[in-house]
Amino acid sequence: MDNWEGSSSKAGKARYIIFSACGYGNIGDDAIMLGTARYLITRKNATDLFIFSYSPNETQQLLHKAGLTSVATIRCGRFKSLIKALSSTTRRKRIMIGGGTLITNRTFFTLYYLIPAFLFKLFFSRSSDVYFFGVAAEERIKRPLLKFMLSLVLRHSIKKAFVRDNFTEGVLKHFANSTGTKVSTIGDPALFLKEWEDGSGANKKKDEDLRTVFNHTAKILVSARDLDLCSSDYHARCFANIFDELVEVIHQKTGMAIVINFVPFCIHKTSPLERDDLFGEKIKSLMKYFNYFQIEKIDNPIEIMQKFNEVDFCVCMRLHSLIFAYMTGRKCLAISYSPKVFNFAKDNDLPCINISEVESHKEKVIDIVVQSLFIDKDKTKSN
């Protein structure tokens, strides 16, 4: 991953431009942006960054809270500011496109990133190098237009492609065949946030002797999203039924209190389907024991990571909630609605169940949670 052109000192003199999906209200995309910026600053000695964002002021505040604006000059903006950033210096520019799941068969979504990649190189080829950084493919590309554009971009625009997983590496290598574009896997850029986790010491092992099953409230963090507005009630009822039964089982087994913290990982500014907060409200309205279900809105990836350290178990449907559980060492269950969730769970040996099986395998879901909360804990103490 560090095998870029030239030394880090020379790389630091370049202007880095991050072109991603941050600022839309998706914690995962903001975490990717923060991880990318931190990597460039700490590993490539970057001192001058521009970040394209749908909400520049909010992104600037996030960078300030993360402490990155104190170690580098970072500006945020939309298209007008992006063109200015590309044109306003004689420094070499390194344009980082990504990360996230940008390579899909959704034509307009994918072209939103492929067309700029082509235009960046077309108009700024003398002063810029273009990279994919942490991008991922959702599936194999089938649409002829997208096949053509991806081949064109990899052949003429992208200098190197650093991708999220082995599946994406295989997809891009197929299209980059016979070109000089190098493709390699680096993982999700959000994983670089673990350096904050390690540095803060927040993930130290909790003192189990002070937290027995009789004096401790079981804290379960949940991340879930809507999949289809037409089937929204069905999936919400599936989760509501599971959480109601989980409350009953835990209370009957131990007499222990339980708190289910629902954390919306996406409160999207433009897509009604990407409003996890509204989905959480729907789950709560369908629950019998709704008093045990709390919706907690946190808009900062670093603060959310701290929240993960406070809980005992995580039910993760959003990919980056699963990544945060993995980074903080929380026991978890992945609810897969997409290959990206399944692949991350599989690659890291995390328990996973498909969203289509949640209702029919409700007992299995509950057993996994209960076993992780109590049985595994008892084994640890006896050892």
Side-chain angles (χ1 to χ4, degrees):
M1 181 164 179
D2 287 317
N3 187 25
W4 290 24
E5 301 75 11
S7 65
S8 293
S9 60
K10 290 181 180 179
K13 296 178 181 179
R15 166 173 287 179
Y16 287 88
I17 295 173
I18 300 174
F19 185 80
S20 67
C22 71
Y24 282 92
N26 187 315
I27 289 294
D29 291 331
D30 289 343
I32 287 171
M33 178 275 297
L34 279 181
T36 302
R38 182 177 176 84
Y39 170 82
L40 295 175
I41 292 170
T42 59
R43 309 284 180 84
K44 309 310 296 181
N45 297 323
T47 58
D48 183 3
L49 294 89
F50 174 86
I51 297 174
F52 176 82
S53 171
Y54 181 80
S55 305
N57 291 336
E58 292 180 12
T59 301
Q60 193 76 44
Q61 291 174 6
L62 177 58
L63 290 159
H64 178 72
K65 287 180 181 179
L68 294 179
T69 54
S70 64
V71 293
T73 300
I74 308 178
R75 301 174 183 85
C76 302
R78 299 180 79 169
F79 282 105
K80 185 178 179 180
S81 300
L82 173 63
I83 299 301
K84 184 177 180 182
L86 286 165
S87 311
S88 62
T89 180
T90 56
R91 286 184 179 185
R92 190 77 183 167
K93 269 83 68 176
R94 290 184 170 177
I95 305 170
M96 322 303 291
I97 297 179
T101 310
L102 309 184
I103 312 300
T104 74
N105 280 301
R106 291 171 285 167
T107 302
F108 292 107
F109 177 83
T110 301
L111 289 179
Y112 181 83
Y113 294 96
L114 294 183
I115 291 176
F118 179 76
L119 295 178
F120 289 151
K121 196 62 181 177
L122 179 65
F123 292 107
F124 302 100
S125 59
R126 292 185 178 180
S127 61
S128 303
D129 296 316
V130 185
Y131 300 83
F132 277 152
F133 193 83
V135 302
E138 187 174 54
E139 54 195 340
R140 297 195 181 280
I141 304 304
K142 301 175 183 177
R143 297 180 181 273
L145 175 59
L146 297 180
K147 286 183 176 182
F148 169 75
M149 281 299 300
L150 189 55
S151 296
L152 184 69
V153 166
L154 287 170
R155 183 179 296 273
H156 298 290
S157 300
I158 301 299
K159 189 165 188 177
K160 288 186 179 180
F162 301 99
V163 301
R164 186 167 69 196
D165 50 45
N166 294 329
F167 174 77
T168 304
E169 181 176 343
V171 170
L172 293 196
K173 279 185 175 179
H174 171 74
F175 288 99
N177 189 28
S178 75
T179 73
T181 303
K182 295 181 180 179
V183 182
S184 59
T185 300
I186 62 165
D188 193 290
L191 289 167
F192 291 115
L193 298 186
K194 193 175 188 306
E195 296 175 5
W196 264 298
E197 172 74 4
D198 295 339
S200 67
N203 194 33
K204 292 179 180 178
K205 190 179 185 302
K206 298 176 182 178
D207 188 355
E208 298 291 347
D209 293 335
L210 298 178
R211 298 173 55 179
T212 70
V213 295
F214 299 105
N215 64 15
H216 170 55
T217 298
K219 297 178 182 178
I220 299 173
L221 186 147
V222 175
S223 163
R225 58 160 295 170
D226 213 341
L227 293 178
D228 188 330
L229 295 178
C230 296
S231 62
S232 178
D233 289 345
Y234 169 75
H235 287 112
R237 190 170 296 279
C238 288
F239 280 109
N241 291 340
I242 287 174
F243 296 147
D244 276 335
E245 191 162 335
L246 194 57
V247 170
E248 291 180 349
V249 169
I250 290 178
H251 186 73
Q252 288 172 3
K253 278 183 174 290
T254 66
M256 197 173 165
I258 177 174
V259 174
I260 299 171
N261 289 118
F262 184 94
V263 178
F265 259 66
C266 187
I267 304 178
H268 207 279
K269 292 179 168 62
T270 63
S271 173
L273 188 61
E274 300 276 347
R275 289 291 303 271
D276 295 1
D277 56 328
L278 300 182
F279 189 57
E281 293 287 358
K282 186 170 291 187
I283 294 173
K284 186 173 184 177
S285 70
L286 296 169
M287 285 182 64
K288 177 182 178 181
Y289 301 108
F290 59 85
N291 289 333
Y292 295 90
F293 189 90
Q294 301 175 357
I295 299 175
E296 188 169 354
K297 298 179 183 179
I298 308 173
D299 60 2
N300 185 323
I302 305 302
E303 292 176 4
I304 284 188
M305 191 153 54
Q306 293 169 352
K307 181 67 178 179
F308 273 76
N309 280 306
E310 300 171 4
V311 304
D312 303 291
F313 191 86
C314 306
V315 177
C316 306
M317 188 171 173
R318 287 279 184 183
L319 171 64
H320 283 88
S321 67
L322 187 61
I323 289 176
F324 278 27
Y326 172 76
M327 284 194 294
T328 55
R330 301 302 95 184
K331 294 176 181 178
C332 62
L333 171 65
I335 307 294
S336 175
Y337 72 95
S338 166
K340 62 185 179 182
V341 178
F342 173 79
N343 290 337
F344 187 86
K346 180 182 177 182
D347 292 344
N348 295 283
D349 296 321
L350 303 175
C352 180
I353 187 169
N354 193 279
I355 183 64
S356 64
E357 300 175 338
V358 166
E359 178 67 13
S360 59
H361 290 70
K362 181 172 64 174
E363 299 303 324
K364 178 181 178 181
V365 173
I366 293 171
D367 285 345
I368 290 174
V369 177
V370 172
Q371 180 170 330
S372 296
L373 284 174
F374 305 113
I375 299 176
D376 290 349
K377 183 177 292 187
D378 290 341
K379 287 181 180 178
T380 301
K381 286 183 178 181
S382 64
N383 290 336

